[in-house]
Every structure is written in C-alpha cells, then in structure tokens.
Amino acid sequence: MNRPPSIATICLLMSDLSDQRLLAGFLVQTGYRVVVVAGSELSSIDPAAALMITDQAGARQYGAALFAMKARLKPLYFPVLLTLIGAGQATGWLRAGFDDVLRLPLNKDDLLARLEAFLRLRQHSADLLTEGRLRYQATFDLAPVGIVHASLGGKITLVNLHVGAILGMTTAMLSGRRLVDLVEAAHCATMQAALDAVLVAPGAQPAFDQLLCRHNGAPLWSSVTVSLARDADGVPRYLIVIIEDISVRKQLELELRESERFARATIDALNEQICVVDETGRILAVNKAWNRFADDNGMQGQTKWVGTNYLSICDRAAACGNEEARLFATGMRDVITLAQDEFSMEYQCDDGGDERWFIVKVTRFPHGGPVRLVVSHENVTHARLAQRDLSWLAHNDSLTRLPNRVLIDLQLKQTLLQAERSHWIVAVMFIDLDHFKMINDTLGHAAGDRLLQLAGQRIVGCLRVNDTVGRLGGDEFCVILPDLATVCDAAMLSEKIMHALAQPFHLMGSEAFVTSSIGIAMYPSDGLDADTLLRSADIAMYRVKKQGRDGHQYFVPRMTTQLAEQARLEGGLRRALERGELSMHYQPQIDIASGRIVGVEALMRWQHPELGMISPAVFIPIAEETGLIVSIGAWALRTACSQNRRWQEAGIAPIVMAVNMSSRQFKERNLHAMIDLALQESGLEGRYLELELTEGIMMENVAVLIDTLNRLKTLGVRLSLDDFGTGYSNLAYLKRFPLDMIKIDKSFVDDIDAGGDASLIAAAVITLGHGLHLKVIAEGVETQEQLAVLRMLGCDMIQGYLYSRPLPHDAMTALLCASVRPQLA
C-alpha cells in the first residue's frame, strides 16, 4: 500500500485507555507517528499534525474545543474522526461537524484505507495552502509599493521587501516596531491620527504625505495610505499600511515651484509688458512691467486687468476706428484657433505726448493643455529712433551733414532715370581739396574737420536748389547737376566753386588757403549709368591733379587710356623687382674747390620689357601711391650700400653714397632697423651713406621726424635736404633737424647765370646753409656760366650734366678709377 512521502502525525484524544493503547499500537506498527493529547491541549495543537481521532466520550466533553481548533487552522483542512462501538447512529455526529465515523472493532485494512484518504485530503489542503502562501508572498514582495501589516495597536507584524529597500532596513529590524517609530518626530502626530481614524471610522482610508526616517537617518518623503483588515464576521484583525516612495515626485514638485517662482521672477524682471490670457481673451495674469505701465499712464494696477477680457477691449477700440486694434484682435484670434503659430505687429502709441512705438507679440503655450496665450508689448521707441538715426548716418556724412557716397549713388541713379525720360543734360563733378593734408598736419585735425564743414557749406552756396552735393570721404566732394541748359554750364559752375573755395578760411585763430581740383563728366556723352559717370569724373579730377592742381577739366576718352596705361605700369612695377628689371645709376657729386668726386647720388632706373627705359619721374610717384616704394626703396638702399663697399674694396678712395628716401619710408616703424641691416650686410660704414629727404617729408609730424632723424644719426649716416626752396620749409624747424647738407633745386640753377630772382634765391640758400653749418650742393648744373656763379656765391658742391650724366655701375666704376680729374675751371 502506498504511504505518504513523509511520516504523518495522528493525534489521539480518547477516554478509554485500552482502546487508545490498541489504536496507538496499530498506527505505530503501520508507520504513523502518534501523539496522545489531552482536552486542555487542543488550543495549542501542532498544526503539522495530520488529523485527530477521538471517541464518543471525548467528543461529548471536548466537541466545542475540537471544532474551534478546526476553525482556527483554516484554511488548512484538519480532519477530526470519531470512533463508535457497535451499530450506533453516525449521522448526528457527522452533522455536528465530524469528518468521519470509525466503527469498533476496527477492520485494519478498512481503517488504513480511510486514514490514507483523509491524509491525502489533508496533504492536498496543505499543498494548496502552501502554494497560496507562496503566491501571496511573491505578490506581496513584488508589489511596487511598500506593504506593512501591523497589529491594531500599531506594531509591525509583516512587511514586504519593498519596505526594507526604501527604508534601508531588514525584515527583522522592522518586525515588532511601532509604525510611529518610522516617522520623523515632528510628524508622528499625523501618523497616529491616521491609525486612530481607521479604528473608529468604518471604511476610513486616510492617505497623506509623510516624512519617514531611513535607517541612516536620511529623510524620505512617502505617500502613506492606512486601511483596516477585517475577518468574515467584520471583526478588525490587523492594519494594512501602503508606503510609496515619492521623493522624486517631491523633488519635481520643489523644482516645479522653483521653476514657477523663477519664471515669475523672470517675467517680472522683463521690461516688456506681459499678460497671459485664456482662449476667450480673458486676462489671467500680468507682470510688474504691465502694472507699472498702467500706473504711469493713469490706469489702475492689477485689479484693473486680471479678469478683464482683452479681446473685448480691442474690439471696442476697433469699432471706434482704431485699425491697429482690429489687426491685433484678428491676430490674437488666429493664434487661438491655430491659424497662426504666433502673431506680431508694430504700432505707434499716440497719446498726445512724445512719439512712442511698441511691438506686440502673441504666442501660444505648447499644445496639450488648456489654451493660454502670452501677450507681450515691447517699447521699441529708442530702437525706432536709433534706426532712424542709423538710416540717416548710413546715407549722410556725420561731419558735414551732406549726403555720403551711398546716398549720392542713389540720387544719381534717380536723376539719370528722370534724365532719360526728360532728355536732360546732367553733369557730375568730383571736387578734391588740394594739399588738404597739410592743413591737418600743420593746424591739426580739428581745424581740418572745420575746413571740410566750411568747404561743404561754400559748395552748397554755389548750387541751385535742385542740385546735390555730397562728401565722398576724406577731402573729396561730389556734385550732381541735373537739367543743364548746355555743357558749358558745368564749367561756369566749376569756376564759381573754385573761386568760393579759394577765399581764406578762418580756422582756430589761423587763416588757411586751399585750392581745388575738379573733374567733370557729362550725361549722356561720358556715360549712361551712375558708376560710369562717377568713374569718369574721378578720372578727370585725377588728371587735373596730375597737371598741377587748382583747375577743372572735362572728362575725355583718352583719360581712360592714360589711366589704363598707369594701371599697366603699376602692375608691371609690382613684378619689376622680382624680375630684375630695376637697376641703379650713379651721378657724381663734385667738390668745387678741389674738383674731386666726393660722392655719388644713386638713381633708380626701370627697363620695362615692352616699354623700354621708364623715367623715375613716371614710376616713382606710382610706387609711392601704391606703397611699393617701401620694398623698392629697401632694395635700392641695399644695392647702393653694397656697390659703395665694393668700390672701397677695389681700392677706390672712399666717397659718400647719396640715396633718396620717400616720405612713405619714413612712416615705417622699422626704418632704423632696415638701414642698420643694410649697413651691416654690406659692411659699409655709416659715414659713407647719405640719406636725402624732401621738404614734403619735413612737413609731416615734425616732432616724430626729429626723433627718427636723431636715431638715424646714431648709425653715423649723413642727412641732406633735397630740392630746398621748392616746398614749404619752416625755417624755425630747419635748425632743429640734424642735417649735414642742403641741395639747391635745379629750377633755381637753370637761370642763375641770368641774374634776377634765381641768383638771389641761390645766394640766400647758400648763406642760410652756411649759417646753419651745413654744406650746400647745387644740382642740375649744365654750363660753365652756372658753375662760375655758384663758385662766386660760395657753393660747396655741384652735380649735373656739366660733369656727367647718371651712369650704370660699370661706367661709374671706370670713371672713379680714371686718373684724369674733372675739369671745372
């Protein structure tokens, strides 16, 4: 016969001891474990026991206790069997609650079969209960919230794993503790009130946020729900407490409140007047700037606006003819209905006071919630006025307040459109003030600015009402003359302008004079569009300056050819140095007293591959205008120093090498270093190098020039002033310059033998030079008569065709090596 997998325990409660011994012996022999119990032990019966067997005496005496035991062990099935002697009725006992009746004397096989049937029922009940408990425990522990069972007094009897996880405690640490012990001291009253409430109020389930304490003392925000578990008869059995960790939610709530405070503070800090409205247009909130604006404009504060319908206000204004209010209301409704994502417009606030401009913008909160619109009004009056000022500045010159190049170009284009329709003759003039830079250098930039203002006013005074004058930049002005009767009218007006500008200017307590160079281009003969006419007038003005300034000239087509030729020369000059097209020639300088060559002047030459030899008078000005003179001048200095050193190494008596310096070179910060490097690389001593300066250089920033010249003197070089008398030398400054020599310009030497002003000027220059302890050299000496006058006047040296033209280095070397001395007698 099959046996249960484990030894079953059978309890015996029998008053007849002989029957008890007989039954116990049989059961033990059969393989069961037998426990004899007394009636007083039924309340503490081992739940592991499989079933109970009693007799009629035990049933009568302990029946109530037996059935109470069965109820207590539920849902575990615990069979209670009754033994009867003979053929007594069993029905009453079965109805009373006994599970079966065993007849004595017992048939062993029948007894075992019936016992095993009940034992299987008992095991099945235990298995079901175990499975249910396992399922319950798994569900209990896997719940995403903490679950606590507590006694009606508030002591913890059972917790799931989640409670221990969020509190950082084990089940053993929690078991037996009071629920209020889990709460921070300041919040215990809330928990106790909830526990009391469920006991006195049927169906109560208080839910509240509670600050609990973790095992490490850290606070934990939790959502707590308390309920009461009752049995089938409605009797309270235990408390159920649900605990949910809401620390993240609390943090989000805190952040949300902080965000709301920040958003509110931010909106209140904005200068824009901002309000929030709902889908009907009702104002829900306004910021501080809105209230300030309302207060400053005689309206009430927030109580006036919150709850007011903004759309209704706009509709009433629109009904009174306010077009801007109508447009705004339409735009707001479009945003509400999603016809537009946002809406903005600019409007003018005309309250009879100062001009004010605003930009209103309507935006909608993100979709998904109730309709909310943000309406902001930004005061853009300053920006609008600034834009107006910027527009004026963009089209006008801030110094003279005349139209600038941009506006001149626009007005000329408009004039030409009218001229094409009306068959006008139109003139465009370019006016440049001659030697304006000298005014800046001598009287200062403030005086120069004032002269430009006065010059602009004088030009305007010469024009007709419909003529236009503008400043293009620097000292250049442009005049547009529409609807001329004849081409000659432009020349007449040019004469008028030149005469007006030639009058003295009173500047900063000084009197200044300027002349002007004017180029004229005519529509339609010189161009059909604005760019062509402006370029043609500029070319004509440039031609006037080339011819000596102080005049006016009409544009002629050949000027373009000449300008193109100059551009060609400029392009060629940029490549001449790297192609080796530049060379140096040398012209001897003769001491009049001894007749010996004491120096040479280095002169550049350019052998163009197509145009042949080009005069320095042609390419040097181009080099100065383009800035190429810096690199070309550095090359010339290195070449001249090296050549002079080679002559010395060849045994030729040392002489001085004179090199011309451009004003552009003196503006270079590294001039001193460049000259020092040229001397070091060539090995030439500084006393054998002479730097020739023009009078134009000496008029530019005298203080800086003197400092530069003194630094150059530390290198031992000599300094000479070229073309003396042709410029604007200030004799008071002249004695401050560390010069060694001055040169009499060829223009004074040409007529020196005829007497008159030339000889007087030469005599004055020689006397002045010697008075300042300077040597004097005359250039351009071509006749014996000129030499005789210069010798009589006491001139120290001469240079010119009388002795030699400029020679290439090999011819000059041969001349220096010749034993025959020059004949100057």
Side-chain angles (χ1 to χ4, degrees), residues 571-727:
L573 186 59
R574 292 183 182 277
R575 298 183 292 272
L577 193 59
E578 61 186 60
R579 292 178 177 178
E581 297 170 5
L582 297 178
S583 62
M584 298 299 291
H585 284 206
Y586 306 93
Q587 187 172 34
Q589 296 175 335
I590 314 301
D591 179 75
I592 294 180
S594 65
R596 299 176 62 85
I597 300 176
V598 293
V600 295
E601 181 179 3
L603 300 168
M604 259 190 293
R605 295 293 184 266
W606 179 18
Q607 183 66 38
H608 193 281
E610 299 173 358
L611 303 177
M613 186 65 72
I614 299 176
S615 169
V618 174
F619 72 83
I620 291 297
I622 296 176
E624 290 180 340
E625 289 178 8
T626 59
L628 292 172
I629 193 65
V630 175
S631 56
I632 292 176
W635 170 85
L637 182 68
R638 293 194 303 271
T639 303
C641 290
S642 297
Q643 181 61 62
N644 199 9
R645 179 58 183 166
R646 284 195 294 272
W647 284 335
Q648 292 180 8
E649 291 172 347
I652 298 174
I655 59 175
V656 175
M657 175 70 72
V659 180
N660 291 284
M661 300 295 292
S662 165
S663 61
R664 180 66 177 80
Q665 290 175 279
F666 271 87
K667 294 177 182 178
E668 293 295 308
R669 295 183 178 180
N670 63 343
L671 176 63
H672 180 276
M674 185 266 290
I675 295 174
D676 186 28
L677 181 62
L679 291 173
Q680 292 185 30
E681 289 180 345
S682 64
L684 183 69
E685 296 181 38
R687 58 179 172 156
Y688 297 119
L689 174 64
E690 180 178 295
L691 304 177
E692 292 192 1
L693 294 72
T694 63
E695 285 190 292
I697 297 176
M698 304 185 73
M699 295 303 296
E700 299 181 5
N701 204 333
V702 175
V704 175
L705 177 62
I706 292 174
D707 179 68
T708 301
L709 295 180
N710 285 329
R711 291 186 65 209
L712 292 177
K713 290 296 289 184
T714 62
L715 300 176
V717 302
R718 297 164 58 85
L719 299 173
S720 67
L721 182 59
D722 195 11
D723 301 332
F724 185 76
T726 61

Side-chain angles (χ1 to χ4, degrees), residues 12-14 20 35-43 45 52 62:
L12 298 179
L13 175 63
M14 303 183 72
Q20 177 178 287
V35 177
V36 177
V37 298
S40 61
E41 298 174 336
L42 291 177
S43 61
I45 192 72
M52 173 76 71
Y62 301 109

Side-chain angles (χ1 to χ4, degrees), residues 391-551:
S391 177
W392 186 91
L393 289 173
H395 295 88
N396 293 272
D397 174 50
S398 59
L399 177 63
T400 63
R401 307 191 72 80
L402 295 174
N404 63 8
R405 183 180 293 272
V406 174
L407 187 54
I408 281 291
D409 184 67
L410 291 174
Q411 292 188 350
L412 180 54
K413 290 177 179 177
Q414 293 174 358
T415 299
L416 294 180
L417 288 175
Q418 180 63 33
E420 183 180 6
R421 291 192 296 265
S422 304
H423 306 289
W424 285 352
I425 296 175
V426 179
V428 177
M429 293 182 180
F430 257 49
I431 304 173
D432 184 88
L433 303 182
D434 300 329
H435 302 297
F436 173 74
K437 188 176 184 299
M438 190 175 299
I439 301 295
N440 273 338
D441 293 340
T442 56
L443 299 181
H445 288 281
D449 289 346
R450 181 56 181 160
L451 187 144
L452 291 173
Q453 292 172 339
L454 295 174
Q457 294 172 11
R458 291 187 184 183
I459 296 172
V460 171
C462 297
L463 303 179
R464 303 168 300 172
V465 175
N466 59 337
D467 297 335
T468 301
V469 59
R471 182 187 175 208
L472 302 181
D475 59 344
E476 285 190 349
F477 296 85
C478 179
V479 175
I480 302 173
L481 305 173
D483 194 18
L484 294 177
T486 66
V487 173
C488 297
D489 290 347
M492 295 173 58
L493 189 56
S494 296
E495 294 285 353
K496 185 177 180 181
I497 292 174
M498 291 173 59
H499 176 74
L501 294 175
Q503 302 307 306
F505 290 89
H506 300 282
L507 309 170
M508 318 294 286
S510 300
E511 193 174 66
F513 294 86
V514 295
T515 56
S516 56
S517 300
I518 303 178
I520 307 171
M522 303 300 301
Y523 170 87
S525 58
D526 299 330
L528 299 177
D529 60 87
D531 291 340
T532 302
L533 287 171
L534 291 171
R535 184 169 60 252
S536 299
D538 191 20
I539 293 172
M541 183 269 292
Y542 184 79
R543 181 67 175 174
V544 175
K545 297 184 77 67
K546 282 290 186 181
Q547 293 178 344
R549 300 179 172 86
D550 191 19

Side-chain angles (χ1 to χ4, degrees), residues 167-185:
L167 294 178
M169 301 182 189
T170 64
T171 301
M173 295 169 64
L174 289 167
S175 182
R177 295 186 63 180
R178 297 186 308 158
L179 283 169
V180 292
D181 293 339
L182 304 180
V183 182
E184 282 203 340

